[in-house]
Amino acid sequence: MIAREPPLGPRAARADLAGRARPEEPDPLRTAFQRDRDRILHTTSFRRLKHKTQVFVAPAGDHYRTRLTHTLEVSAVARTVARALALNEDLVEAIAMGHDLGHAPFGHAGEAALDAILQEQHGLRFEHNVQSLRVVDVLERGGGGLNLTDAVRDGILHHTGSGRPATLEGQIVRLLDRIAYVNHDIEDALRAGILAPGDLPADEVAVLGSTTSERLTTLVADCVDASRDSDEIRQSAEIGQAFLRLRRFMFQNVYLASPARDEADRARGVVRALFTWYLEHPEALPPAAEADPVRRVTDFVAGMTDRYALRRYREAFEPQEGPL
């Protein structure tokens, strides 16, 4: 017996045609994309997302987003779009579950810090989408990787950056990732007191909605309507432009403003210090098949949760209590 997919539209990616670097026998109950989703779900990298920052570094409250809740929210809205367009919901879910596995601690501040120090000192780059692909290809399963399908790997790699996903399902995750984080970051910024409801730009609120639910409903419905007869996943001109203006507002007033900016400066200092310390103390790194010391340190620091990075920083740089 071989698992069968539900009815799909003619534009959908097919799991029975999916390729892997290492061929495998079909599963009797799950399609290839469902198997990929399950493999990602059971990784240590996925579990660590619950303690990795979305926007606010180690927030005191229990209700702020983390990388894990962000991932689940992206999966939910992206699957809604895929189902409405008769595309492959399982492929969308697998890509969404894996898209942020390579994110550094402290959100984009940690990513920027790793990228800066690698460029300055080693002529290399750090991009979380590339690191996410490295996680599933190389780092998980003790260095053997997950052997995911090519379509899932492509969607993970191209959920951000200059490249375009090869499948419509990958394009859904790319767009809905942005839609999810902008709207949910607004909610977190309001909860933190960084924004007041009246601070949101009036013109964009009038077009998109005044609440998270209203904005998501507008943006998801628009994506479905605009993409139904298109060869790409897109937004209408009016809604797309309003969303870009709202996203720009968030960068100016939340992501690049205090207190998020102040926390980001602290986070960058922690990441840079840890990177340098582990290069100088390779004996403190866990065993790994990777021989290149820079690559080993990058993998280890990028895999840290926020609280683990802060603990290791304190252990390395702050005086210990007790007698000398």
Side-chain angles (χ1 to χ4, degrees):
M1 182 174 68
I2 298 177
R4 294 181 178 274
E5 289 183 305
L8 297 171
R11 300 183 299 166
R14 299 294 301 259
D16 55 359
L17 301 177
R20 300 183 190 273
R22 300 186 298 275
E24 300 177 2
E25 289 295 320
D27 187 280
L29 300 178
R30 299 171 298 166
T31 69
F33 298 144
Q34 289 173 327
R35 294 176 80 182
D36 284 0
R37 174 205 60 205
D38 292 347
R39 290 176 186 182
I40 292 168
L41 183 64
H42 290 98
T43 61
T44 56
S45 300
F46 185 82
R47 293 195 292 275
R48 285 198 298 268
L49 294 177
K50 67 181 177 180
H51 293 302
K52 289 196 175 188
T53 287
Q54 177 64 14
V55 174
F56 300 102
V57 176
D62 294 330
H63 301 141
Y64 293 92
R65 265 74 180 189
T66 65
R67 283 285 154 194
L68 181 59
T69 56
H70 164 72
T71 293
L72 297 176
E73 289 166 345
V74 172
S75 176
V77 292
R79 281 169 23 227
T80 296
V81 173
R83 183 177 298 184
L85 295 174
L87 296 174
N88 199 311
E89 193 175 341
D90 294 331
L91 174 55
V92 163
E93 185 175 25
I95 295 170
M97 289 295 185
H99 80 284
D100 268 356
L101 292 181
H103 229 299
F106 312 123
H108 291 287
E111 179 179 20
L114 276 177
D115 185 48
I117 197 168
L118 283 168
Q119 286 192 72
E120 294 165 8
Q121 300 183 10
H122 306 285
L124 301 172
R125 299 297 307 270
F126 181 86
E127 298 166 302
H128 80 267
N129 55 315
V130 176
Q131 186 69 12
S132 293
L133 186 63
R134 178 171 169 80
V135 167
V136 299
D137 278 356
V138 177
L139 299 182
E140 281 292 341
R141 290 187 174 176
L146 304 181
N147 195 34
L148 301 183
T149 59
D150 295 336
V152 173
R153 295 177 62 256
D154 171 83
I156 290 173
L157 178 62
H158 294 120
H159 82 271
T160 190
S162 59
R164 178 179 175 179
T167 64
L168 292 177
E169 289 84 357
Q171 292 179 36
I172 289 175
V173 175
R174 183 181 173 94
L175 176 58
L176 271 297
D177 178 34
R178 290 158 174 76
I179 287 175
Y181 77 66
V182 167
N183 282 283
H184 296 138
D185 291 348
I186 289 173
E187 194 170 315
D188 280 357
L190 291 170
R191 177 177 287 110
I194 295 173
L195 294 177
D199 294 335
L200 295 176
D203 290 345
E204 286 65 45
V205 167
V207 173
L208 301 176
S210 59
T211 67
T212 301
S213 178
E214 289 175 357
R215 287 189 292 272
L216 286 175
T217 298
T218 298
L219 288 158
V220 169
D222 176 72
C223 176
V224 171
D225 290 341
S227 306
R228 199 180 300 279
D229 298 316
S230 175
D231 60 356
E232 64 179 350
I233 302 301
R234 55 190 300 273
Q235 297 174 288
S236 68
E238 179 187 17
I239 299 299
Q241 290 168 8
F243 174 69
L244 286 177
R245 293 194 300 270
L246 181 62
R247 184 170 178 262
R248 192 176 303 119
F249 167 87
M250 287 296 290
F251 271 92
Q252 293 171 347
N253 294 275
V254 177
Y255 304 141
L256 302 180
S258 294
R261 182 184 60 198
D262 302 332
E263 287 294 288
D265 290 342
R266 293 175 57 207
R268 281 190 288 269
V270 169
V271 169
R272 292 181 69 97
L274 286 173
F275 186 93
T276 301
W277 190 87
Y278 277 107
L279 269 183
E280 296 171 351
H281 299 84
E283 72 283 355
L285 292 168
E290 178 61 56
D292 177 44
V294 174
R295 184 72 264 176
R296 280 188 68 195
V297 172
T298 301
D299 289 338
F300 185 57
V301 174
M304 290 180 172
T305 63
D306 293 20
R307 64 183 187 179
Y308 182 70
L310 290 171
R311 184 166 77 245
R312 293 298 299 126
Y313 179 85
R314 286 193 294 268
E315 292 170 353
F317 296 104
E318 295 182 6
Q320 302 297 305
E321 295 182 0
L324 294 176

